[in-house]
Amino acid sequence: MFGDFPVDNKIVLVTGGGSGIGLQLIRLASAKGAKIIIADLQLTPEAQHLVDTTETVIYQRCDVRNWDDLHALIQVSRDKWNDVPDVYIASAGIFEPKSASFWEDTESTRYATVDINVNHPIKFTRLAIRALLEENKKGVVCLVSSISGIGSSYSSPLYCASKHALWGFVKSMAPLAALEGVKVTSICPGLVPTPLWDTVPEFRQQYSVENFDHISAEEVAECMLSLIEEGKYPGGAVVEITTPGPNGRRVIPPWNVSPTKMYSARLLSDEIARNLVAPVQAVLKRERKMKL
């Protein structure tokens, strides 16, 4: 049995820790006495302030699509604290923007959504396993997924597929905790008001954001910390969180998953359906050859 794993005096490495859920997790872990490495392309003012005022929080610029950047994070930990991280959190992700969209299909070689949302957390996990085994240490990996990982989305199929991939991957890692002492877990939040919704404001209307309950980044981070620290969550555990309080959380079973409560009859309304598919229909209308 893996057991409890408190983060105090542990090294916690977080990709995408410059904002959103990752940043809130960093604040909680730092307050408990953890040493922190923030890996991100840039820092928000809030994250920068944390780095400037907290000796045990450091920043390393990282493009998670670049595997050399991911490799370098382990060495940063060795150089700073003469040890490898104990906790690895992959919170960097994108919500299928037009620049990396299945329907817009503007990329010439590969989908960035897949690179960031799938290849990065899987490779990150592999690096974590290797680093921990080399030092003969126990450790925890937590990947940020989404309720889209157990649902479907006609308007953002790449994002949905990427989160399904994480769900399958984490479930496949379940035996690793007992066999090698590395617990791999995942959190599946519902609608979280992160900077994403401000950077792509048209998403608010398309996804009818105001029609659904929100869960704060802080509450998601608290749930993640429980998932990391508490032994009651085994390797392979996937936890959904959609509303505040214990009733808004559930452990996702390996098979026969019932729909999340967040998907109610409101999702079936004509207005919400039109908003959801309108951008896709506009793209496909342009592609359809009109017969004279």
Side-chain angles (χ1 to χ4, degrees):
M1 185 174 178
F2 188 87
D4 292 339
F5 199 75
V7 299
D8 57 291
N9 206 36
K10 299 287 198 308
I11 303 172
V12 178
L13 169 58
V14 185
T15 66
S19 64
I21 295 169
L23 177 57
Q24 299 309 318
L25 188 283
I26 285 167
R27 293 178 65 190
L28 293 175
S30 178
K32 283 195 164 191
K35 307 177 186 76
I36 309 291
I37 301 172
I38 302 176
D40 211 327
L41 287 172
Q42 60 186 7
L43 297 178
T44 59
E46 183 183 6
Q48 185 65 60
H49 177 74
L50 193 60
V51 171
D52 293 341
T53 59
T54 312
E55 186 178 347
T56 53
V57 178
I58 64 173
Y59 168 61
Q60 174 68 22
R61 190 183 186 280
C62 175
D63 182 344
V64 296
R65 295 171 295 182
N66 185 327
W67 286 7
D68 286 341
D69 281 9
L70 293 177
H71 276 279
L73 297 173
I74 309 297
Q75 190 59 46
V76 167
S77 182
R78 292 185 188 276
D79 292 342
K80 178 66 176 178
W81 291 298
N82 197 33
D83 203 352
V84 302
D86 304 272
V87 179
Y88 301 74
I89 298 168
S91 67
I94 57 175
F95 185 56
E96 198 168 340
K98 287 187 176 181
S99 61
S101 163
F102 176 80
W103 295 115
E104 295 290 341
D105 201 31
T106 58
E107 295 163 291
S108 58
T109 56
R110 56 198 305 141
Y111 290 117
T113 296
V114 175
D115 281 343
I116 295 170
N117 290 4
V118 182
N119 294 335
H120 139 242
I122 290 178
K123 182 62 174 178
F124 189 60
T125 302
R126 190 64 186 92
L127 295 176
I129 294 168
R130 183 175 293 118
L132 289 165
L133 294 186
E134 285 176 353
E135 298 299 328
N136 197 27
K137 293 178 67 175
K138 289 175 65 175
V140 177
V141 178
C142 186
L143 310 182
V144 177
S145 184
S146 165
I147 58 169
S148 292
I150 52 175
S152 62
S153 177
Y154 180 65
S155 57
S156 51
L158 276 182
Y159 178 79
C160 185
S162 72
K163 297 307 183 179
H164 273 264
L166 287 192
W167 189 71
F169 174 71
V170 171
K171 291 293 184 182
S172 298
M173 291 292 102
L176 190 64
L179 294 175
E180 303 294 347
V182 181
K183 185 172 85 167
V184 181
T185 63
S186 182
I187 188 83
C188 292
L191 187 60
V192 181
T194 67
L196 164 76
W197 299 107
D198 297 322
T199 57
V200 193
E202 61 267 28
F203 278 177
R204 285 188 174 275
Q205 179 179 0
Q206 182 183 359
Y207 290 91
S208 301
V209 170
E210 308 308 328
N211 290 68
F212 296 96
D213 295 328
H214 296 181
I215 183 74
S216 71
E218 292 86 351
E219 183 132 4
V220 175
E222 289 174 3
C223 186
M224 286 176 65
L225 200 56
S226 298
L227 183 57
I228 292 163
E229 292 191 309
E230 296 179 16
K232 69 179 182 180
Y233 296 111
V238 178
V239 175
E240 173 193 281
I241 176 169
T242 55
T243 57
N247 291 335
R249 306 179 185 186
R250 65 168 176 165
V251 176
I252 304 297
W255 304 99
N256 303 319
V257 182
S258 59
T260 175
K261 294 178 181 178
M262 187 173 171
Y263 287 109
S264 65
R266 288 179 295 176
L267 190 64
L268 304 178
S269 74
D270 291 341
E271 180 184 0
I272 289 177
R274 283 195 301 269
N275 289 342
L276 198 61
V277 304
V280 176
Q281 288 180 307
V283 171
L284 299 184
K285 184 177 180 180
R286 293 196 302 267
E287 293 182 353
R288 184 181 295 279
K289 294 182 179 178
M290 303 301 292
K291 293 183 179 180
L292 298 177

